[in-house]
Amino acid sequence: MLSEDFHVVGLLAGLASGLTKVGVGHGFDTVKTRVQLGPVNHGAVHVLVATIKREGIAGLYKGASPPAVGWAAIDSVLLGSLHNYRLFLLHNGMTEQTATGPRLTLLAHGVSGLFAGLTSAPLATPIELLKVRLQLQMQKSVSDRRFKGPIDCARQLVRSQGFFGLWTGLSGGLLYRTQFSVMFLAFEACMRGLAKLNGTLLEPSVGIANLISGGVASVFFWTSALPLDRIKNQMMSHPYPLPYPESPSVARLSILSVARQIRAKEGLRGFYRGLAPCLIRAFPANACAFFVYEGILRALGAEQTR
């Protein structure tokens, strides 16, 4: 099969997964970002209603074009590298014996997720940076906005901060993406738990098990990752709500300085601003994304790692 010589099936499956995730969940992601970074700590329902009233339904999809293109690329790298890291560990002994042969240990799934997350961070950072800055524009009319779209946003950022300004917040992005170890370990643990129902009246199909496990894994992921996501997004949006500078005079924030700032102003609860819309979005979006990813792997005959 194709996957035995050149492991591109994970890339293709990740591409489809990323597009699925954007279509299902971007509106909730906009609400989460505005709750996290708004100058006033409003709840998710208030932000949702205010956004629709002021900007219409289309306001929920501000910043959607970078992830529509970018998330497909990010998930292609994330999930493609995940599949290859899993195969590497499978072929190098990080396994356990089962009745049907060797399979990866749960720890190996976590390690694969960790390195896949780090691998995707350099690509994800500029895409997330543009998404965050576009999502924070509250004006309904395009003519009233500082950034007219992702290309204009990127052009202005490069002009004021230089080319590497597109990677503002990379350290925060790397830290946040370590939590993919939690997601993929939790997904596999849930799949194994559901497999114990095989042969009973409650036995789920493989697709249903993927949906359930993907949703559950996303809850574990965001519970651990949201504080790091808040830090990353604040690094990327700095100095919002103040105007963005026209020159590289603004200092970039460090992870520790942002964490101290959030703790001082809002306490520990500040790290979990946006949790409600995040979880409301995460379960269906990631359930569908895992369903598509795992389904395509099976359809293309990818080498099994469980």
Side-chain angles (χ1 to χ4, degrees):
M1 297 297 290
L2 176 65
S3 60
E4 293 174 352
D5 298 316
F6 185 56
H7 304 297
V8 299
V9 288
L11 296 173
L12 296 175
L15 187 71
S17 173
L19 290 172
T20 301
K21 194 182 299 181
V22 173
V24 175
H26 186 79
F28 291 109
D29 185 71
T30 297
V31 174
K32 177 201 62 127
T33 301
R34 291 186 175 185
V35 171
Q36 281 183 325
L37 303 177
V40 179
N41 188 2
H42 289 305
V45 174
H46 176 91
V47 171
L48 175 64
V49 172
T51 297
I52 294 174
K53 183 177 180 181
R54 181 174 55 244
E55 305 161 57
I57 294 294
L60 295 173
Y61 284 85
K62 283 182 176 175
S65 50
V69 176
W71 245 248
I74 293 168
D75 271 19
S76 184
V77 173
L78 173 70
L79 298 174
S81 63
L82 173 76
H83 184 61
N84 283 280
Y85 286 131
R86 284 174 171 174
L87 291 176
F88 175 81
L89 295 179
L90 181 68
H91 296 155
N92 286 274
M94 203 168 179
T95 58
E96 59 190 16
Q97 288 297 323
T98 69
T100 57
R103 69 178 181 184
L104 286 175
T105 63
L106 284 177
L107 177 60
H109 282 279
V111 171
S112 298
L114 170 65
F115 283 102
L118 295 176
T119 300
S120 64
L123 174 62
T125 296
I127 295 169
E128 291 183 335
L129 175 64
L130 298 180
K131 175 184 72 71
V132 166
R133 295 198 175 194
L134 290 172
Q135 285 176 323
L136 291 174
Q137 298 190 122
M138 307 297 183
Q139 302 85 355
K140 183 175 183 178
S141 173
V142 174
S143 61
D144 294 333
R145 300 173 194 166
R146 165 74 181 271
F147 308 120
K148 310 308 179 187
I151 295 176
D152 179 58
C153 184
R155 185 185 297 116
Q156 289 192 46
L157 199 150
V158 169
R159 186 168 61 240
S160 63
Q161 302 294 312
F163 178 73
F164 290 105
L166 292 169
W167 279 268
T168 298
L170 175 60
S171 59
L174 286 166
L175 182 61
Y176 157 72
R177 288 185 168 267
T178 62
Q179 298 308 294
F180 281 107
S181 60
V182 175
M183 173 175 278
F184 294 114
L185 189 154
F187 176 81
E188 181 63 21
C190 191
M191 286 293 293
R192 294 183 185 186
L194 291 172
K196 294 179 180 179
L197 299 175
N198 291 349
T200 72
L201 293 176
L202 298 176
E203 177 182 349
S205 67
V206 176
I208 294 299
N210 291 159
L211 281 168
I212 295 171
S213 299
V216 170
S218 71
V219 173
F220 279 93
F221 170 76
W222 280 109
T223 300
S224 66
L226 190 64
L228 308 181
D229 182 65
R230 169 74 196 277
I231 291 170
K232 167 184 69 72
N233 287 345
Q234 191 141 328
M235 293 172 72
M236 290 178 171
S237 66
H238 180 72
Y240 179 87
L242 298 175
Y244 292 113
E246 299 287 349
S247 67
S249 59
V250 63
R252 296 188 187 182
L253 302 179
S254 69
I255 292 170
L256 287 178
S257 67
V258 171
R260 291 193 188 104
Q261 183 182 84
I262 295 171
R263 175 67 186 273
K265 290 184 176 180
E266 305 174 47
L268 292 177
R269 293 182 62 182
F271 292 99
Y272 280 91
R273 282 176 67 176
L275 179 62
C278 180
L279 294 181
I280 291 170
R281 161 193 174 269
F283 198 103
N286 285 282
C288 293
F290 270 104
F291 176 81
V292 169
Y293 173 67
E294 294 285 334
I296 292 177
L297 286 182
R298 289 192 297 273
L300 295 180
E303 188 174 344
Q304 296 299 304
T305 57
R306 71 169 57 91

